[in-house]
Amino acid sequence: MTPVSQFTAPGGGPGSDVGRRIAHSRTQAGLSRAELAHAVGADPSYLRYIEEENAAPGTAVLLRIANALGVSLAELRGTAAGYPDGRGRAASEPVLEEMDEAECRRRIGAHGVGRIGFTTEATGPLILPLNYTVVDGELTLRSTARGPLAGVAGGTVAFEVDRVDEALSAGWSVLAIGVLRHVTDPARAKALERAAWSGAWAGRDRTTWFTLRPERLTGRIIRT
């Protein structure tokens, strides 16, 4: 029999979006399931049920989970997904600092989502979101064979990655500038495919590989 709880409300589904967001935020926060369960006063088995099974926690427990994870209730529910980051008010005394190259590389990490920016005569300035994987110090990206990236391969582009902490009104951004290169060697393309953390978020038809080795890597962080 599926377990029930006083915190359960109707509307959940197998692998519910709320459960997946909780599991993702917990991993991002570096908390084990037992640690989060202790923080919110719940049984670890119930937290597993929320994350993996057919459950939709009520507002009271969901708010405790959000507070323990340092995220908003809207983020866990997904109602903030249609709006830009940074809708909260600025902190009273923020500190803006520049990051060195080593810290920039650490912040970018091994994979994520960023924005590539470039200018062409046909389009003018253009900025596109892309997920990436870092391989041997290079940002590796996927697009279509005749898409915008193919048209600017061989030229200088900018790639920006950022993160906003709504709860603390803090955040950081890293900017990589370098030459975008089209991967034409089939063996290299297969190697990048194997190393990729994820498929292209925008669709499986994006099978053409590009690389960007940063010639300049800068970043800033707002601390509160």
Side-chain angles (χ1 to χ4, degrees):
M1 178 180 294
T2 302
V4 295
S5 165
Q6 61 177 320
F7 300 122
T8 302
S16 69
D17 291 345
V18 169
R20 291 197 299 169
R21 291 190 185 97
I22 290 172
H24 175 75
S25 297
R26 177 175 60 77
T27 301
Q28 292 291 101
L31 295 175
S32 68
R33 189 174 286 161
E35 288 171 331
L36 179 57
H38 176 75
V40 301
D43 189 277
S45 63
Y46 177 61
L47 187 58
R48 183 205 62 78
Y49 175 52
I50 292 175
E51 290 184 352
E52 299 179 2
E53 303 293 342
N54 185 14
T59 300
V61 71
L62 196 57
L63 185 58
R64 292 207 296 271
I65 291 174
N67 289 337
L69 294 174
V71 300
S72 69
L73 189 61
E75 285 181 86
L76 292 187
R77 284 178 166 165
T79 56
Y83 300 97
D85 287 337
R87 292 171 64 84
R89 296 183 183 275
S92 58
E93 297 182 5
V95 176
L96 178 63
E97 300 175 353
E98 292 187 0
M99 297 186 290
D100 60 23
E101 183 173 328
E103 180 65 9
C104 289
R105 292 187 182 279
R106 188 187 74 80
R107 294 276 176 171
I108 287 178
H111 51 83
V113 173
R115 302 166 191 83
I116 190 168
F118 49 85
T119 299
T120 70
E121 292 184 1
T123 65
L126 192 61
I127 299 175
L128 301 171
L130 293 170
N131 59 308
Y132 67 90
T133 302
V134 178
V135 180
D136 297 330
E138 291 184 321
L139 295 164
T140 64
L141 315 164
R142 262 183 290 205
S143 186
T144 56
R146 298 186 180 182
L149 268 62
V152 295
T156 299
V157 301
F159 193 84
E160 190 260 356
V161 182
D162 60 40
R163 177 78 177 184
V164 173
D165 188 329
E166 295 279 2
L168 299 180
S169 298
W172 57 266
S173 65
V174 171
L175 179 64
I177 297 177
V179 176
L180 183 70
R181 302 194 184 280
H182 180 194
V183 178
T184 57
D185 178 13
R188 174 65 170 156
K190 288 182 179 179
L192 294 180
E193 182 72 36
R194 290 193 298 269
W197 169 257
S198 167
W201 275 30
R204 295 184 179 181
D205 59 328
R206 288 157 175 78
T207 57
T208 302
W209 283 96
F210 300 86
T211 62
L212 171 61
R213 183 173 293 278
E215 298 171 4
R216 187 171 47 160
L217 197 60
T218 58
R220 301 192 301 173
I221 184 169
I222 298 174
R223 304 183 188 275
T224 57

